[in-house]
Amino acid sequence: MNIIPPGSTIGIIGGGQLGRMLSIAAAQLGYRTHIFAPEPSGPAADVCAKWVQGAYDDAGALLRFADDVSVVTFEFENIEPAPLIPLSQQKPLFPPYHALEIGQDRIREKTFAEDCGGRTAPWAKVESRAELEAALDQIGTPAILKTVRFGYDGKGQARIMSRGDADAAWAALGPGSPLILESFVKFSHEFSLIVARDQAGSIVFWDAPENVHKDGILSTSTLPAREDVRIHIPAARGLARKIAEKLDYVGVFTIEFFATYEGPVFNEMAPRVHNSGHWTIEGAQCSQFENHIRAITGLPLGSTKAMAPHIVMTNLIGDDVDRWQTLASDPNIRLHLYGKNEAKPGRKMGHITHIEMPR
Ligand code: AMP
């Protein structure tokens, strides 16, 4: 057990809004954070003690970064894992390196979830135009073609509604990067599990939010999820527990599921705090960000109990953020802005949490 006392410095790889909210939670517990990111600045820059600019694949720069901190974590999984091996030999790295390797690769994560007893959508590996045809023969349509690595917020995906869409999908994503063809799941709803595991092996779950995506980007997370979703939670939690134990996971991770008539279908896993857990900042006794900091510093995990009967988190995407004044004047809304300058379409600029307090 690595107990890192308050007053120490936590290193975070990645400097976006997740790094910003992790840094705020760390500061509340008396920790300082240093951020390592390739950009000159980012949402976490306003709230960290030090910003170190460096490439994610620069093993030397990562080692120097680790020198100055007591423990290292990451808020972004689309980084080359190899440079983190020497770092993890020098400083505690949580979540463990192999969780990053699995979580960033759709084929490895699906295989891993299946090995743990989970159900996934039928899928096939695609590395050439001919393999795409063979995969379509096997999987059928509708289907989704995705990059195996480095996809997020609906990027790196192309829908194939009928065989006629295959050329356009291949032109958009192939060749060059390994791809996966997934059958289109006829889900009734989507939900996620946000899970924390500490260094002693204790696991806690927050209530599972029901999630709505628009254009592949999370739009809302609602608590409680409807009954049709809640019936799947025990099976989903059983799978999450197996995954956490097999990875000897430390920190917060998230699994996204499809709710179907045959049970929960594993979609993907993020080895980090997650957008569908932002509601926990005000909506739970201890947020996903605080419990991640607690897990990696060896503190006991806090209670995940929901603080209100009805909670909705809504992302502010692109120019949604222009409504900030109206949102700020609603007493039932907690407004979070990430300090990003330019409201590009599809860019997460902030979020709001609407909390209905018990009467
Ligand atoms: P992902 O990046 O894989 O989480 O995909 C983003 C969103 O696209 C999901 O949350 C779903 O709304 C949709 N999606 C992805 N894969 C599938 C699938 N195999 N079947 C149906 N919808 C999907």
Side-chain angles (χ1 to χ4, degrees):
M1 178 96 120
N2 290 285
I3 296 190
I4 315 269
S8 309
T9 302
I10 297 167
I12 302 176
I13 299 174
Q17 61 266 21
L18 301 178
R20 180 180 177 102
M21 290 182 269
L22 279 170
S23 294
I24 293 170
Q28 186 193 324
L29 289 170
Y31 295 100
R32 239 169 259 113
T33 60
H34 288 184
I35 301 285
F36 184 95
E39 302 86 12
S41 185
D46 299 336
V47 293
C48 68
K50 190 174 173 190
W51 180 281
V52 178
Q53 189 177 5
Y56 288 136
D57 58 0
D58 185 341
L62 280 163
L63 276 178
R64 287 191 296 282
F65 172 74
D67 246 355
D68 263 2
V69 301
S70 300
V71 59
V72 181
T73 188
F74 45 86
E75 58 97 82
F76 182 66
E77 74 272 35
N78 289 332
I79 52 184
E80 284 303 332
L84 293 181
I85 298 177
L87 182 152
S88 66
Q89 286 156 354
Q90 178 180 315
K91 281 286 153 71
L93 172 72
F94 297 125
Y97 160 82
H98 51 272
L100 176 76
E101 272 188 315
I102 291 171
Q104 68 174 204
D105 182 307
R106 291 187 188 275
I107 291 183
R108 290 187 69 169
E109 74 184 356
K110 280 192 186 352
T111 310
F112 191 79
E114 287 161 5
D115 290 348
C116 291
R119 269 189 57 213
T120 60
W123 60 272
K125 183 166 77 77
V126 172
E127 287 189 347
S128 66
R129 184 67 181 82
E131 275 187 14
L132 176 57
E133 281 307 307
L136 282 165
D137 288 342
Q138 183 192 328
I139 307 284
T141 55
I144 306 191
L145 189 63
K146 300 181 180 178
T147 52
V148 169
R149 297 176 74 204
F150 303 146
Y152 68 99
D153 284 348
K155 294 189 179 71
Q157 299 194 8
R159 293 191 178 195
I160 302 183
M161 302 315 284
S162 65
R163 303 271 311 213
D165 298 337
D167 276 335
W170 178 253
L173 301 181
S177 45
L179 304 174
I180 177 173
L181 185 75
E182 286 178 27
S183 167
F184 199 87
V185 177
K186 290 186 192 69
F187 58 80
S188 61
H189 303 96
E190 294 187 77
F191 69 100
S192 56
L193 279 190
I194 303 125
V195 189
R197 184 171 183 271
D198 68 15
Q199 294 176 40
S202 300
I203 295 182
V204 293
F205 296 95
W206 283 265
D207 285 354
E210 183 178 320
N211 301 322
V212 174
H213 292 81
K214 287 191 188 142
D215 302 324
I217 305 177
L218 182 67
S219 173
T220 59
S221 292
T222 301
L223 284 294
R226 72 191 73 208
E227 185 54 30
D228 289 2
V229 169
R230 290 210 304 273
I231 51 167
H232 297 305
I233 293 174
R237 284 187 174 180
L239 174 64
R241 191 174 283 279
K242 275 195 204 146
I243 289 177
E245 282 164 3
K246 215 163 157 186
L247 289 172
D248 197 14
Y249 198 89
V250 174
V252 168
F253 70 98
T254 305
I255 305 181
E256 293 183 78
F257 288 96
F258 300 122
T260 74
Y261 294 112
E262 288 102 45
V265 173
F266 173 101
N267 175 24
E268 63 175 358
M269 170 186 156
R272 54 168 168 78
V273 286
H274 192 259
N275 194 170
S276 64
H278 289 1
W279 64 272
T280 62
I281 296 176
E282 297 90 4
Q285 227 158 36
C286 186
S287 75
Q288 61 166 348
F289 300 102
E290 180 176 340
N291 261 346
H292 186 75
I293 298 296
R294 283 171 170 264
I296 67 171
T297 55
L299 299 185
L301 296 176
S303 163
T304 54
K305 195 169 173 295
M307 301 290 279
H310 188 71
I311 303 165
V312 184
M313 188 289 308
T314 306
N315 272 332
L316 301 176
I317 294 171
D319 57 16
D320 291 347
V321 74
D322 295 346
R323 289 161 45 225
W324 64 270
Q325 257 176 317
T326 314
L327 296 168
S329 53
D330 183 332
N332 294 315
I333 281 179
R334 312 301 309 149
L335 174 65
H336 295 254
L337 298 175
Y338 304 151
K340 297 181 184 176
N341 294 329
E342 213 189 327
K344 290 187 200 147
R347 193 169 195 209
K348 291 175 179 168
M349 301 300 292
H351 72 267
I352 52 172
T353 307
H354 187 279
I355 298 201
E356 199 178 286
M357 295 310 288
R359 289 176 191 273

